[in-house]
Protein backbone atom coordinates (compact mmCIF):
# COMPACT_ATOMS: atom_id res chain seq x y z
CA UNK A 1 0.00 0.00 0.00
CA UNK A 2 1.17 3.54 -0.77
CA UNK A 3 2.07 5.65 2.26
CA UNK A 4 -1.04 7.46 3.54
CA UNK A 5 -0.76 11.23 3.67
CA UNK A 6 -3.11 14.06 4.72
CA UNK A 7 -2.60 15.44 1.20
CA UNK A 8 -0.80 13.87 -1.77
CA UNK A 9 0.40 16.63 -4.04
CA UNK A 10 3.11 14.47 -5.61
CA UNK A 11 0.63 11.84 -6.76
CA UNK A 12 -1.64 14.47 -8.26
CA UNK A 13 1.25 16.17 -10.10
CA UNK A 14 2.56 12.89 -11.49
CA UNK A 15 -0.65 12.35 -13.51
CA UNK A 16 -0.42 15.66 -15.36
CA UNK A 17 3.32 16.23 -15.16
CA UNK A 18 3.88 16.85 -18.86
CA UNK A 19 1.14 19.43 -19.15
CA UNK A 20 2.25 21.23 -16.00
CA UNK A 21 5.93 21.20 -16.93
CA UNK A 22 5.28 22.59 -20.36
CA UNK A 23 3.03 25.34 -18.95
CA UNK A 24 5.80 26.37 -16.55
CA UNK A 25 8.45 26.20 -19.29
CA UNK A 26 6.25 28.40 -21.47
CA UNK A 27 6.30 31.18 -18.87
CA UNK A 28 10.07 30.89 -18.50
CA UNK A 29 10.55 31.00 -22.28
CA UNK A 30 8.42 34.13 -22.53
CA UNK A 31 9.86 35.58 -19.28
CA UNK A 32 6.29 36.61 -18.49
CA UNK A 33 6.90 36.26 -14.77
CA UNK A 34 4.67 39.07 -13.56
CA UNK A 35 1.46 40.50 -15.06
CA UNK A 36 1.84 38.39 -18.19
CA UNK A 37 -0.83 36.97 -20.49
CA UNK A 38 -1.03 33.74 -18.43
CA UNK A 39 -2.42 35.70 -15.46
CA UNK A 40 -5.06 37.49 -17.53
CA UNK A 41 -6.03 34.20 -19.20
CA UNK A 42 -6.35 32.33 -15.90
CA UNK A 43 -8.49 35.10 -14.41
CA UNK A 44 -10.80 34.87 -17.40
CA UNK A 45 -11.00 31.09 -17.25
CA UNK A 46 -11.63 31.03 -13.51
CA UNK A 47 -14.29 33.75 -13.71
CA UNK A 48 -16.09 31.67 -16.35
CA UNK A 49 -15.68 28.45 -14.37
CA UNK A 50 -17.12 30.07 -11.24
CA UNK A 51 -19.91 31.94 -13.06
CA UNK A 52 -18.52 35.22 -11.77
CA UNK A 53 -18.39 38.41 -13.82
CA UNK A 54 -14.96 39.40 -12.50
CA UNK A 55 -11.98 37.53 -11.08
CA UNK A 56 -8.99 39.46 -9.74
CA UNK A 57 -5.98 37.36 -8.80
CA UNK A 58 -3.65 38.19 -5.92
CA UNK A 59 -0.78 36.76 -3.89
CA UNK A 60 -2.69 34.57 -1.41
CA UNK A 61 -6.05 34.04 0.26
CA UNK A 62 -5.22 36.18 3.29
CA UNK A 63 -4.42 39.12 1.01
CA UNK A 64 -7.67 38.48 -0.86
CA UNK A 65 -9.62 39.04 2.37
CA UNK A 66 -7.64 42.15 3.28
CA UNK A 67 -8.03 43.62 -0.22
CA UNK A 68 -11.77 42.90 -0.19
CA UNK A 69 -12.14 44.78 3.09
CA UNK A 70 -9.97 47.65 1.77
CA UNK A 71 -12.22 47.99 -1.28
CA UNK A 72 -15.27 48.57 0.93
CA UNK A 73 -13.91 51.85 2.38
CA UNK A 74 -14.57 50.86 5.98
CA UNK A 75 -13.39 53.11 8.82
CA UNK A 76 -11.32 52.06 11.83
CA UNK A 77 -13.67 50.82 14.53
CA UNK A 78 -16.23 49.53 12.06
CA UNK A 79 -17.27 46.03 13.02
CA UNK A 80 -17.01 42.94 10.84
CA UNK A 81 -18.68 39.71 11.91
CA UNK A 82 -17.12 36.33 11.20
CA UNK A 83 -17.17 32.80 12.58
CA UNK A 84 -15.34 31.88 15.78
CA UNK A 85 -14.45 28.52 14.21
CA UNK A 86 -12.19 29.18 11.21
CA UNK A 87 -8.59 29.55 10.11
CA UNK A 88 -6.96 32.63 11.64
CA UNK A 89 -6.59 34.47 8.29
CA UNK A 90 -10.22 35.50 8.27
CA UNK A 91 -9.99 37.49 11.47
CA UNK A 92 -6.41 38.63 10.84
CA UNK A 93 -7.42 40.64 7.79
CA UNK A 94 -10.09 42.43 9.82
CA UNK A 95 -7.73 43.25 12.68
CA UNK A 96 -4.87 44.41 10.43
CA UNK A 97 -7.04 47.17 8.99
CA UNK A 98 -8.01 48.52 12.41
CA UNK A 99 -11.52 47.16 12.01
CA UNK A 100 -13.09 45.34 14.94
CA UNK A 101 -13.56 41.59 14.56
CA UNK A 102 -16.86 40.48 16.05
CA UNK A 103 -17.36 36.75 16.38
CA UNK A 104 -20.34 34.49 15.97
CA UNK A 105 -20.78 30.88 17.03
CA UNK A 106 -21.28 28.03 14.55
CA UNK A 107 -23.74 25.21 13.95
CA UNK A 108 -22.38 21.96 15.41
CA UNK A 109 -23.33 19.64 12.53
CA UNK A 110 -22.02 21.72 9.63
CA UNK A 111 -19.33 23.73 11.47
CA UNK A 112 -20.58 26.85 9.66
CA UNK A 113 -21.54 30.27 11.03
CA UNK A 114 -24.86 30.31 12.89
CA UNK A 115 -27.20 33.03 11.57
CA UNK A 116 -28.87 33.32 14.99
CA UNK A 117 -25.53 34.11 16.56
CA UNK A 118 -24.80 36.63 13.77
CA UNK A 119 -28.08 38.43 14.53
CA UNK A 120 -27.08 38.79 18.18
CA UNK A 121 -23.69 40.23 17.20
CA UNK A 122 -25.05 43.09 15.12
CA UNK A 123 -24.61 46.65 16.45
CA UNK A 124 -24.93 50.08 14.79
CA UNK A 125 -21.20 49.80 13.93
CA UNK A 126 -21.54 46.52 11.99
CA UNK A 127 -20.59 46.99 8.33
CA UNK A 128 -19.89 43.54 6.96
CA UNK A 129 -20.19 39.79 7.49
CA UNK A 130 -17.58 37.27 6.39
CA UNK A 131 -19.20 33.84 6.24
CA UNK A 132 -16.59 31.10 5.87
CA UNK A 133 -17.65 28.05 3.86
CA UNK A 134 -15.74 25.76 6.16
CA UNK A 135 -14.33 22.39 5.05
CA UNK A 136 -16.11 22.64 1.67
CA UNK A 137 -19.75 23.21 2.53
CA UNK A 138 -21.58 26.51 2.08
CA UNK A 139 -22.80 28.52 5.05
CA UNK A 140 -26.55 29.18 5.27
CA UNK A 141 -26.56 31.96 2.67
CA UNK A 142 -30.36 32.45 2.52
CA UNK A 143 -30.24 33.56 6.15
CA UNK A 144 -27.00 35.56 5.81
CA UNK A 145 -28.36 37.46 2.79
CA UNK A 146 -31.54 38.25 4.68
CA UNK A 147 -29.63 39.56 7.71
CA UNK A 148 -27.32 41.61 5.47
CA UNK A 149 -30.19 43.14 3.51
CA UNK A 150 -32.08 44.08 6.67
CA UNK A 151 -29.01 45.74 8.23
CA UNK A 152 -27.40 47.12 5.07
CA UNK A 153 -24.22 45.04 5.40
CA UNK A 154 -21.62 43.88 2.92
CA UNK A 155 -21.00 40.16 2.54
CA UNK A 156 -17.51 38.86 1.82
CA UNK A 157 -17.47 35.10 1.35
CA UNK A 158 -14.37 33.21 2.42
CA UNK A 159 -14.36 30.26 0.00
CA UNK A 160 -10.72 29.29 0.51
CA UNK A 161 -11.94 25.78 1.38
CA UNK A 162 -14.94 25.62 -0.91
CA UNK A 163 -14.16 26.48 -4.50
CA UNK A 164 -16.81 24.88 -6.72
CA UNK A 165 -19.34 24.36 -3.93
CA UNK A 166 -22.89 25.03 -5.10
CA UNK A 167 -25.59 26.58 -2.96
CA UNK A 168 -29.29 26.07 -3.68
CA UNK A 169 -31.51 28.94 -2.49
CA UNK A 170 -35.01 28.61 -1.07
CA UNK A 171 -36.35 29.62 -4.49
CA UNK A 172 -34.38 26.70 -6.06
CA UNK A 173 -31.88 28.92 -7.88
CA UNK A 174 -28.28 27.72 -7.63
CA UNK A 175 -25.07 29.74 -7.26
CA UNK A 176 -21.45 28.85 -6.74
CA UNK A 177 -19.79 30.02 -3.54
CA UNK A 178 -17.94 33.28 -4.09
CA UNK A 179 -20.73 34.70 -6.26
CA UNK A 180 -23.44 34.97 -3.59
CA UNK A 181 -22.20 37.92 -1.54
CA UNK A 182 -20.69 41.20 -2.77
CA UNK A 183 -17.17 39.74 -2.90
CA UNK A 184 -15.72 36.22 -2.69
CA UNK A 185 -12.16 35.41 -1.61
CA UNK A 186 -10.25 32.21 -2.28
CA UNK A 187 -6.79 30.70 -1.89
CA UNK A 188 -4.57 28.55 -4.09
CA UNK A 189 -2.37 27.38 -1.20
CA UNK A 190 -0.97 24.03 -2.42
CA UNK A 191 -3.25 21.85 -0.29
CA UNK A 192 -6.45 23.72 -1.17
CA UNK A 193 -8.87 22.05 -3.60
CA UNK A 194 -7.37 24.12 -6.44
CA UNK A 195 -3.79 24.50 -5.31
CA UNK A 196 -0.76 26.04 -7.02
CA UNK A 197 2.95 25.39 -6.48
CA UNK A 198 3.46 28.20 -4.00
CA UNK A 199 1.06 30.92 -2.89
CA UNK A 200 -1.84 32.42 -4.75
CA UNK A 201 -5.33 33.80 -4.28
CA UNK A 202 -8.27 35.33 -6.10
CA UNK A 203 -11.20 37.65 -5.53
CA UNK A 204 -14.59 37.34 -7.23
CA UNK A 205 -17.29 39.94 -7.72
CA UNK A 206 -20.22 40.58 -10.03
CA UNK A 207 -20.14 44.33 -9.31
CA UNK A 208 -18.28 46.44 -11.91
CA UNK A 209 -17.51 49.30 -9.51
CA UNK A 210 -16.15 46.97 -6.84
CA UNK A 211 -14.13 45.10 -9.48
CA UNK A 212 -12.44 48.32 -10.59
CA UNK A 213 -11.65 49.23 -6.99
CA UNK A 214 -10.29 45.74 -6.22
CA UNK A 215 -8.08 45.84 -9.34
CA UNK A 216 -6.72 49.15 -8.24
CA UNK A 217 -6.12 48.11 -4.60
CA UNK A 218 -4.11 44.99 -5.59
CA UNK A 219 -1.95 47.24 -7.74
CA UNK A 220 -0.77 49.99 -5.36
CA UNK A 221 -4.09 51.86 -5.48
CA UNK A 222 -3.36 52.76 -9.09
CA UNK A 223 -5.61 52.91 -12.14
CA UNK A 224 -3.48 55.12 -14.37
CA UNK A 225 0.19 54.25 -14.10
CA UNK A 226 1.98 56.27 -11.38
CA UNK A 227 -1.23 58.01 -10.28
CA UNK A 228 -2.36 56.59 -6.97
CA UNK A 229 -5.98 57.24 -6.03
CA UNK A 230 -6.01 55.42 -2.70
CA UNK A 231 -3.73 53.38 -0.49
CA UNK A 232 -3.22 49.98 -2.05
CA UNK A 233 -0.98 46.95 -1.71
CA UNK A 234 1.27 44.92 -3.99
CA UNK A 235 -0.38 41.55 -4.25
CA UNK A 236 0.07 39.51 -7.42
CA UNK A 237 -0.36 35.97 -8.65
CA UNK A 238 2.79 35.26 -10.67
CA UNK A 239 2.81 33.93 -14.22
CA UNK A 240 4.14 30.46 -13.37
CA UNK A 241 1.37 29.89 -10.83
CA UNK A 242 -1.29 31.21 -13.22
CA UNK A 243 -0.10 28.96 -16.06
CA UNK A 244 -0.16 25.79 -13.98
CA UNK A 245 -3.48 26.78 -12.38
CA UNK A 246 -5.00 27.00 -15.87
CA UNK A 247 -3.92 23.38 -16.38
CA UNK A 248 -5.28 22.25 -13.01
CA UNK A 249 -8.56 24.15 -13.49
CA UNK A 250 -9.41 21.75 -16.33
CA UNK A 251 -9.28 18.90 -13.82
CA UNK A 252 -11.01 20.67 -10.92
CA UNK A 253 -14.38 18.98 -11.44
CA UNK A 254 -12.60 15.61 -11.38
CA UNK A 255 -10.64 16.60 -8.27
CA UNK A 256 -13.89 17.54 -6.54
CA UNK A 257 -15.54 14.23 -7.42
CA UNK A 258 -12.45 12.32 -6.24
CA UNK A 259 -12.82 14.02 -2.86
CA UNK A 260 -16.55 13.36 -2.78
CA UNK A 261 -15.95 9.70 -3.57
CA UNK A 262 -13.50 9.38 -0.66
CA UNK A 263 -15.98 11.17 1.63
CA UNK A 264 -18.81 8.85 0.56
CA UNK A 265 -16.59 5.85 1.40
CA UNK A 266 -15.85 7.28 4.85
CA UNK A 267 -19.56 8.09 5.43
CA UNK A 268 -20.65 4.59 4.51
CA UNK A 269 -18.16 2.93 6.87
CA UNK A 270 -18.68 5.30 9.79
CA UNK A 271 -22.36 6.13 9.69
CA UNK A 272 -23.42 3.34 12.03
CA UNK A 273 -20.37 3.32 14.28
CA UNK A 274 -21.21 4.43 17.81
CA UNK A 275 -18.97 7.14 19.20
CA UNK A 276 -18.27 8.79 15.83
CA UNK A 277 -20.32 11.55 14.24
CA UNK A 278 -19.90 11.98 10.51
CA UNK A 279 -19.98 15.45 8.90
CA UNK A 280 -23.55 16.62 8.37
CA UNK A 281 -24.63 17.48 4.81
CA UNK A 282 -27.12 20.27 4.48
CA UNK A 283 -29.75 19.92 1.81
CA UNK A 284 -28.94 23.33 0.30
CA UNK A 285 -25.22 22.92 -0.38
CA UNK A 286 -22.96 20.50 -2.18
CA UNK A 287 -19.85 19.51 -0.25
CA UNK A 288 -16.44 19.71 -1.94
CA UNK A 289 -14.65 18.20 1.08
CA UNK A 290 -11.57 20.25 1.64
CA UNK A 291 -11.57 18.35 4.91
CA UNK A 292 -13.40 15.26 6.13
CA UNK A 293 -14.01 16.05 9.78
CA UNK A 294 -15.45 13.69 12.38
CA UNK A 295 -16.58 14.38 15.92
CA UNK A 296 -15.67 12.16 18.87
CA UNK A 297 -16.01 12.44 22.68
CA UNK A 298 -13.36 14.99 23.76
CA UNK A 299 -11.77 12.59 26.26
CA UNK A 300 -11.16 10.05 23.48
CA UNK A 301 -9.78 12.33 20.79
CA UNK A 302 -6.10 12.33 21.70
CA UNK A 303 -6.05 8.55 22.09
CA UNK A 304 -7.75 8.18 18.69
CA UNK A 305 -5.19 10.38 16.95
CA UNK A 306 -2.36 8.61 18.76
CA UNK A 307 -3.67 5.20 17.66
CA UNK A 308 -4.04 6.36 14.04
CA UNK A 309 -0.51 7.79 13.92
CA UNK A 310 0.94 4.61 15.38
CA UNK A 311 -0.64 2.69 12.49
CA UNK A 312 0.50 5.08 9.77
CA UNK A 313 -2.72 7.06 9.40
CA UNK A 314 -2.17 10.81 9.77
CA UNK A 315 -4.98 12.85 11.36
CA UNK A 316 -5.21 16.54 12.18
CA UNK A 317 -7.25 18.85 14.37
CA UNK A 318 -8.74 21.79 12.47
CA UNK A 319 -9.03 23.86 14.66
CA UNK A 320 -7.89 23.29 18.26
CA UNK A 321 -8.51 26.80 19.67
CA UNK A 322 -11.54 29.08 19.13
CA UNK A 323 -10.60 32.50 17.78
CA UNK A 324 -11.92 34.28 20.90
CA UNK A 325 -9.49 32.31 23.06
CA UNK A 326 -6.42 32.89 20.85
CA UNK A 327 -3.85 34.99 22.68
CA UNK A 328 -3.56 37.55 19.88
CA UNK A 329 -7.31 38.04 19.60
CA UNK A 330 -8.39 38.14 23.22
CA UNK A 331 -10.53 41.16 23.94
CA UNK A 332 -12.54 42.48 26.83
CA UNK A 333 -15.53 41.59 24.74
CA UNK A 334 -15.12 37.83 25.11
CA UNK A 335 -14.47 35.20 27.73
CA UNK A 336 -14.45 31.42 27.91
CA UNK A 337 -18.00 30.09 27.60
CA UNK A 338 -19.21 32.77 25.16
CA UNK A 339 -19.30 30.43 22.14
CA UNK A 340 -20.10 27.01 23.57
CA UNK A 341 -20.52 25.24 20.22
CA UNK A 342 -17.12 26.31 18.91
CA UNK A 343 -15.48 25.60 22.26
CA UNK A 344 -16.88 22.06 22.23
CA UNK A 345 -15.99 21.48 18.55
CA UNK A 346 -12.39 22.50 19.16
CA UNK A 347 -12.18 19.66 21.68
CA UNK A 348 -14.03 17.03 19.63
CA UNK A 349 -13.12 17.36 15.93
CA UNK A 350 -10.46 15.48 14.00
CA UNK A 351 -9.88 15.30 10.26
CA UNK A 352 -8.83 12.27 8.24
CA UNK A 353 -6.67 12.19 5.10
CA UNK A 354 -8.59 13.86 2.27
CA UNK A 355 -7.21 14.34 -1.22
CA UNK A 356 -7.62 13.31 -4.82
CA UNK A 357 -5.26 10.31 -4.75
CA UNK A 358 -6.82 8.12 -2.04
CA UNK A 359 -7.38 4.60 -3.40
CA UNK A 360 -9.71 1.92 -2.10
CA UNK A 361 -6.92 0.02 -0.35
CA UNK A 362 -5.91 3.12 1.59
CA UNK A 363 -9.50 4.10 2.38
CA UNK A 364 -10.21 0.58 3.65
CA UNK A 365 -7.11 0.65 5.81
CA UNK A 366 -7.95 4.10 7.23
CA UNK A 367 -11.56 3.22 8.05
CA UNK A 368 -10.61 -0.17 9.55
CA UNK A 369 -7.99 1.52 11.73
CA UNK A 370 -10.45 4.17 12.95
CA UNK A 371 -13.13 1.55 13.71
CA UNK A 372 -10.69 -0.70 15.60
CA UNK A 373 -9.61 2.30 17.65
CA UNK A 374 -13.10 3.52 18.55
CA UNK A 375 -14.07 0.00 19.70
CA UNK A 376 -11.07 -0.25 22.03
CA UNK A 377 -11.22 3.28 23.48
C1 LIG B 1 -6.32 28.85 3.57
C2 LIG B 1 -7.33 29.78 4.12
C3 LIG B 1 -7.19 31.17 4.03
C4 LIG B 1 -5.92 31.86 3.61
O1 LIG B 1 -5.32 31.45 2.48
P1 LIG B 1 -3.74 31.68 2.23
O2 LIG B 1 -3.63 31.56 0.77
O3 LIG B 1 -3.03 30.63 2.99
O4 LIG B 1 -3.40 33.05 2.72
C5 LIG B 1 -8.24 31.96 4.46
N1 LIG B 1 -9.36 31.43 4.97
C6 LIG B 1 -9.52 30.11 5.10
C7 LIG B 1 -10.81 29.59 5.67
C8 LIG B 1 -8.52 29.23 4.69
O5 LIG B 1 -8.69 27.91 4.83
Amino acid sequence: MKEIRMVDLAGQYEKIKQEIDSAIQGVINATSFVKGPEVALFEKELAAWNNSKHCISCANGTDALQIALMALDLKPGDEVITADFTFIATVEAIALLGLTPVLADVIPGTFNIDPESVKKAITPKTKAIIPVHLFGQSADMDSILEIAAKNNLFIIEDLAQAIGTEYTFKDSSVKKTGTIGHIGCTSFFPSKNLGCFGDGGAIFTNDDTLAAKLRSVVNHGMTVRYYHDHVGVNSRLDGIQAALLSVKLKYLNNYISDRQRAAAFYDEKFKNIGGLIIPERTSNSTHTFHQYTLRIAPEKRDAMIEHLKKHGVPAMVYYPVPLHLQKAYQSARYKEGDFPVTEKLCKSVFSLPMHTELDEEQLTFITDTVITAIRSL
Side-chain angles (χ1 to χ4, degrees):
M1 186 176 63
K2 282 187 299 178
E3 185 196 339
I4 298 171
R5 304 186 180 148
M6 278 309 280
V7 289
D8 183 0
L9 302 176
Q12 193 185 58
Y13 165 62
E14 212 42 55
K15 291 183 178 154
I16 51 169
K17 181 175 171 9
Q18 275 185 346
E19 265 183 288
I20 294 271
D21 290 359
S22 94
I24 293 173
Q25 191 61 53
V27 177
I28 297 172
N29 293 347
T31 64
S32 52
F33 300 122
V34 158
K35 290 184 183 172
E38 294 82 4
V39 176
L41 178 64
F42 172 64
E43 288 180 343
K44 225 171 116 190
E45 290 171 345
L46 184 61
W49 189 89
N50 212 43
N51 303 327
S52 182
K53 192 163 178 199
H54 303 277
C55 169
I56 296 111
S57 61
C58 63
N60 58 67
T62 310
D63 273 10
L65 290 161
Q66 181 181 331
I67 292 156
L69 287 165
M70 288 173 80
L72 299 180
D73 289 325
L74 305 182
K75 313 266 171 309
D78 283 350
E79 294 176 358
V80 179
I81 299 174
T82 194
D84 192 36
F85 191 58
T86 176
F87 180 56
I88 201 73
T90 321
V91 79
E92 200 169 55
I94 302 169
L96 272 173
L97 295 172
L99 306 168
T100 304
V102 174
L103 300 168
D105 213 346
V106 299
I107 297 167
T110 63
F111 313 115
N112 273 323
I113 195 163
D114 181 351
E116 292 308 315
S117 184
V118 171
K119 281 184 200 160
K120 284 188 210 141
I122 288 174
T123 77
K125 288 184 181 170
T126 311
K127 292 290 154 52
I129 309 175
I130 309 184
V132 181
H133 305 305
L134 204 72
F135 301 152
Q137 193 163 231
S138 175
D140 173 359
M141 294 310 288
D142 278 298
S143 303
I144 302 285
L145 284 180
E146 203 181 298
I147 295 168
K150 204 176 274 174
N151 297 280
N152 200 21
L153 309 177
F154 289 109
I155 298 174
I156 300 173
E157 298 173 70
D158 181 342
L159 65 142
Q161 302 189 4
I163 192 144
T165 299
E166 289 180 342
Y167 183 82
T168 305
F169 290 87
K170 281 190 200 130
D171 69 1
S172 305
S173 62
V174 178
K175 282 188 184 173
K176 282 190 167 168
T177 51
T179 66
I180 302 168
H182 299 89
I183 301 178
C185 298
T186 200
S187 162
F188 306 122
F189 183 79
S191 65
K192 296 283 156 84
N193 290 15
L194 177 62
C196 65
F197 291 3
D199 276 308
I203 309 166
F204 300 103
T205 185
N206 285 322
D207 181 309
D208 296 343
T209 313
L210 273 178
K213 184 80 191 281
L214 290 161
R215 265 211 193 281
S216 160
V217 173
V218 294
N219 189 26
H220 301 291
M222 180 163 89
T223 29
V224 177
R225 201 165 196 186
Y226 303 127
Y227 291 81
H228 304 272
D229 302 332
H230 31 254
V231 176
V233 294
N234 170 24
S235 185
R236 303 191 272 248
L237 182 72
D238 66 67
I240 287 179
Q241 304 303 340
L244 72 88
L245 281 167
S246 280
V247 174
K248 290 186 76 175
L249 183 60
K250 291 190 291 176
Y251 299 97
L252 183 51
N253 284 326
N254 295 344
Y255 292 157
I256 290 171
S257 34
D258 290 340
R259 287 173 178 274
Q260 290 169 334
R261 203 168 24 75
F265 190 101
Y266 283 147
D267 275 355
E268 192 52 37
K269 296 282 179 179
F270 296 144
K271 68 180 183 203
N272 295 320
I273 303 292
L276 284 179
I277 307 174
I278 63 173
E280 186 178 310
R281 321 287 195 92
T282 64
S283 55
N284 50 12
S285 173
T286 60
H287 201 322
T288 48
F289 283 99
H290 179 58
Q291 298 297 345
Y292 186 88
T293 302
L294 291 160
R295 282 180 287 158
I296 187 172
E299 65 276 12
K300 293 185 178 173
R301 185 177 67 181
D302 289 352
M304 168 62 81
I305 294 174
E306 201 55 34
H307 177 96
L308 294 177
K309 288 200 171 140
K310 211 166 74 196
H311 292 85
V313 177
M316 294 287 285
V317 173
Y318 307 112
Y319 297 91
V321 183
L323 293 187
H324 74 287
L325 300 179
Q326 292 284 359
K327 198 167 158 198
Y329 292 91
Q330 278 175 8
S331 89
R333 216 179 184 119
Y334 302 120
K335 58 183 187 317
E336 196 159 353
D338 282 350
F339 300 108
V341 177
T342 299
E343 288 176 24
K344 177 143 188 236
L345 285 176
C346 289
K347 296 182 183 133
S348 23
V349 291
F350 69 104
S351 301
L352 292 177
M354 175 47 76
H355 55 77
T356 57
E357 309 306 308
L358 286 164
D359 61 31
E360 189 143 334
E361 188 186 14
Q362 292 175 312
L363 288 166
T364 304
F365 184 79
I366 295 166
T367 49
D368 286 351
T369 311
V370 170
I371 292 166
T372 308
I374 195 81
R375 292 201 168 132
S376 69
L377 289 176

